């Protein structure tokens, strides 16, 4: 049984760790704070708690925001100045505060530390001298080992132990931070000067050097300085106060005065450092927070602020999810895109701030002095905007019209079935009643599973909510899931039935295959496998997901801004032209159809192969060694198989690879969200060249095109291809047959993170199969499982014969086997 978190170990008592302890206790979770030092004390001098962090703290309803305004100084102006002290630009922040809904406050770290510690409560358990050195996870807890031999355990572990986090090192390996190539000086001093008005935040920008002054109230000023230098010098700065005075001697007089007024022992020199963003923070019952997860350069001033955001979102996720591990992954999903933007934005801005290039400085300063006021305020406000606690996408109300992409999938499905099928093997005592219970809970969870598509004779289709109905469950007492998938791929959905159905196959005593079928109108491979996981978790009583997952808006509504509107679509499509012309130069060859098949009779048939054991492990190792994704190697093998089928071994074949783009949306989606977020990039691939060089070149070109978001640009043309109604598809079918990307394509999904156990059941064989309908000729779905590589070839029966399909997939398998020497396979045994 998976249970919610009732206790947490927070390693690190910095700003993020203290906020986490306060937020977790506010959420009813028993938190223990572990600090490596001999006492709880603030590290550093001052900082600005910006509007985003103030709004986050307000959600805790502990009065922290009000107390910070009492002990700190509210920011009232933001001024850019030249080194001589003359203003480049002054911004009154009142309008920004009003827009963001909270003020910013400059405060000493000690005051912030004290306020957060008080919010944790007097009975907070604190372990001092607790230097974490590692952790061990069990089925229902995580245990932390400390340098002095102590151990503590709890339901979850939060690594908030800074840029050199021991928890991060165990999760992701120990690596040196990434240098920012500038040194920072920090200090706090009682100081007053006519050039520093109350509530002022002032930045002096020079050539490779900057100086900052922040009024923190009560007669105190926090100041900092930076200078571009080598990473080695920044990490080991050996010069003192006199050197600093010499470097800033020609700058505004208030700068010299404030440095002079500061005792040398109170000036701290530190290297600017960050780390490349992670795509995943934790695993199991362990996660990261603040600088342990996403250390960033100081340019945006968001290091402590983003840690505060992390802490509040983490506590909310743990309080609102029934399973601790799921809560941690939801927390990470909600934070990774935001913090990645801050890390990347800070580094990009840091290069501009610290540049020594005089031409760049002239353009930079001109923009600050003369740039559009609204754009400048928007650039200041963006990082200070609190993204909130809730679902990472706005709720989409039903009914609503289908978007262009959804309408494409629906239209194609009306002509001939365009389905997506998942299969999961369950070993243990599973019966149909348990599956029905899981399916019933799934319907309550997802609005799209109690909605249907209605249209006016094929025009203006729209999602319409209907009364909840049971998801159909078909029981097969003995059989082969491949044969059942064949049936599912060709069987249409009833117009008023849920857009999901299930088949439970008894393979043998205590062994079952759960097969789920949906349509691309609401699901892609990620969705349909997530459905399978949720059904089993709900059937097991795991309660591993939120009570309801709101239906997201249409995919296009979440596209990055450059792809919005007709102008954006035209620009995106135009950018494809250069590669399109280059691709045509090699005169790619397409596989021919074996017969004419009417559009309405284009049913998908399946043939399957598996690579497992030492062959599979050696293949994975070989791909890792060469830094080649398995999908790229399969694409090269597929081109070789096409050359054999067409009798054209020296030709190039356009291999289309699906791109699952949930994480590239403006607000990324979790696997639990319904919808099809899949596009395709087709690359001409040589059939007769050696496999590894072909795969390496394919991987590089594919990565480049993804970085340019060519798959999203390709979707911009779908609206031009839509037939008026599903009843008139012939023109579109002719175009797809002649030029469409579905002639020879594949979709790959790594399922190695699919649970190996849910409740009392052992889980294996998580994979998927795709239909084609009128979209193309064939789709090879590639599943990277824990113990096997599944290769499921769905092809249009008649356009391609079973004999050709079997020969083609056999050639793919032979090519993959030939890619790994026998000696490497033997060493993997």
């Amino acid at each position: 049984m998976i249970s919610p978190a009732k206790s947490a170990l927070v390693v690190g008592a910095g700003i993020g760790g203290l906020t986490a302890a306060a937020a977790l206790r506010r959420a009813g979770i028993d938190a223990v704070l572990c600090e490596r030092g001999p006492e709880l004390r603030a590290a550093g001098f001052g900082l600005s708690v910006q509007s985003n962090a103030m709004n986050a703290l307000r959600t805790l309803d502990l009065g922290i925001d009000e107390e910070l305004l009492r002990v700190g100084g509210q920011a009232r102006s933001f001024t850019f100045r030249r080194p001589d002290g003359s203003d480049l630009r002054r911004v009154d922040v009142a309008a920004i505060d009003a827009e963001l809904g909270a003020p910013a406050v400059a405060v000493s770290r000690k005051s912030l530390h004290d306020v957060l510690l008080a919010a944790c409560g007097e009975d907070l358990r604190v372990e001092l001298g607790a230097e974490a050195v590692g952790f061990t996870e069990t089925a229902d807890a995580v245990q932390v080992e400390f340098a002095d031999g102590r151990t503590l355990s709890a339901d979850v572990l939060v690594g908030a132990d800074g840029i050199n986090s021991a928890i991060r090192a165990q999760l992701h390996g120990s690596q040196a931070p990434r240098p920012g190539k500038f040194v920072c000086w920090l200090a706090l001093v009682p100081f007053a000067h006519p050039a520093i008005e109350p509530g002022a935040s002032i930045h002096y920008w020079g050539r490779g050097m900057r100086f900052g002054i922040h009024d923190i109230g009560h007669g105190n000023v926090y100041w900092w300085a930076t200078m571009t230098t080598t990473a080695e010098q920044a990490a080991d700065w050996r010069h003192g106060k006199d050197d600093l005075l010499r470097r800033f001697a020609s700058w505004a007089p208030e700068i010299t005065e404030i440095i002079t007024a500061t005792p040398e022992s109170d000036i701290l020199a530190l290297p600017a450092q960050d780390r490349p963003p992670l795509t995943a923070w934790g695993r199991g019952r362990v996660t990261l927070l603040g600088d342990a997860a996403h250390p960033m350069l100081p340019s945006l001033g968001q290091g402590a602020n983003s840690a505060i955001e992390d802490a509040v979102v983490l506590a909310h996720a743990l309080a609102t999810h029934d399973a601790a591990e799921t809560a941690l992954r939801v927390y990470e999903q909600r934070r990774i895109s935001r913090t990645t933007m801050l890390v990347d934005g800070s580094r990009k801005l840091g290069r501009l701030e610290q540049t020594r290039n005089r031409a760049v400085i002239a353009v930079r300063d001109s923009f600050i002095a003369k740039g559009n006021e609204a754009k400048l305020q928007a650039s200041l406000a963006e990082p200070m905007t609190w993204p909130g606690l809730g679902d990472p996408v706005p709720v989409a109300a039903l009914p609503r019209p289908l978007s262009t992409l959804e309408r494409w999938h629906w239209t194609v499905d009306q002509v001939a079935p365009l389905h997506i099928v998942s299969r999961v093997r369950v070993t243990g005592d599973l019966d149909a009643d348990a599956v029905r219970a899981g399916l019933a809970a799934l319907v309550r969870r997802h609005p799209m599973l109690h909605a249907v598509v209605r249209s006016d004779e094929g025009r203006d289709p729209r999602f319409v909510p209907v009364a909840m109905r049971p998801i159909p469950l078909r029981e097969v007492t003995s059989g082969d899931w491949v044969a059942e998938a064949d049936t599912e791929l060709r069987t249409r959905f009833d117009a008023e039935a849920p857009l999901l159905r299930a088949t439970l196959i008894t393979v043998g005593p205590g062994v079952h295959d759960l097969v789920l079928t949906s349509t691309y109108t609401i699901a892609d491979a990620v969705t349909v496998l997530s459905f399978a996981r949720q059904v089993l978790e709900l059937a097991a009583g795991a309660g591993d997901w939120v009570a309801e997952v709101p239906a997201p808006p249409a995919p296009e509504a979440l596209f990055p801004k450059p792809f919005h509107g007709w102008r954006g679509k035209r620009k995106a499509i135009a950018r494809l032209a250069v590669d399109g012309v280059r691709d045509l130069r090699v005169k790619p060859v397409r596989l021919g159809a074996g017969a004419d098949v009417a559009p309405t009779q284009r049913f998908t048939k399946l043939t399957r192969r598996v690579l497992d054991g030492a062959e599979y492990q050696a293949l994975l190792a070989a791909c890792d060694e060469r830094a080649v994704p398995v999908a790229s190697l399969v694409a090269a093998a597929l081109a070789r198989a096409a050359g054999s089928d067409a009798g054209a071994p020296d030709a190039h074949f356009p291999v289309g690879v699906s791109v699952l783009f949930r994480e590239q949306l403006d607000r990324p989606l979790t696997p639990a969200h319904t919808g099809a977020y899949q596009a395709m990039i087709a690359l001409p691939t040589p059939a007769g060249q050696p496999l590894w060089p072909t795969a390496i070149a394919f991987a590089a070109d594919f990565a480049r095109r993804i970085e340019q978001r060519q798959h999203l640009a390709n979707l911009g043309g779908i609206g031009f291809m839509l037939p008026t109604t599903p009843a008139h598809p012939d023109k579109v079918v002719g175009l797809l047959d002649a030029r469409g990307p579905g002639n020879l394509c594949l979709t790959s999904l790594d399922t190695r993170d699919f649970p190996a156990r849910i409740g009392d059941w052992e889980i294996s064989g998580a994979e998927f199969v795709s239909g084609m309908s009128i979209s193309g000729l064939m789709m090879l779905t590639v599943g990277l499982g824990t113990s096997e590589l599944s290769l499921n070839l769905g092809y249009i029966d008649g356009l391609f014969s079973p004999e050709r399909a079997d020969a083609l997939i056999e050639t793919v398998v032979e090519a993959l086997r030939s890619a790994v020497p026998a000696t490497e396979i033997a060493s993997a045994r």
Side-chain angles (χ1 to χ4, degrees), residues 177-239:
R178 180 172 60 174
K181 297 184 180 179
F182 59 97
V183 64
C184 304
W185 294 273
L186 312 171
L188 188 152
V189 65
F191 189 78
H193 194 282
I196 307 171
E197 62 185 17
S201 177
I202 308 168
H203 287 201
Y204 303 77
W205 285 25
R207 180 170 176 255
M209 297 172 66
R210 293 181 299 128
F211 200 93
I213 299 174
H214 304 268
D215 173 36
I216 65 172
H218 311 285
N220 294 311
V221 166
Y222 160 55
W223 66 266
W224 54 265
T226 66
M227 187 184 75
T228 299
T229 184
T230 65
E232 293 75 20
Q233 287 181 320
D236 186 24
W237 190 257
R238 298 186 177 185
H239 307 288

Side-chain angles (χ1 to χ4, degrees), residues 319-337:
T320 54
H321 288 72
D322 291 335
E325 294 182 39
T326 298
L328 297 184
R329 303 295 84 77
V330 168
Y331 150 69
E332 293 166 0
Q333 180 70 30
R334 291 177 177 173
R335 296 298 300 155
I336 284 175
S337 61

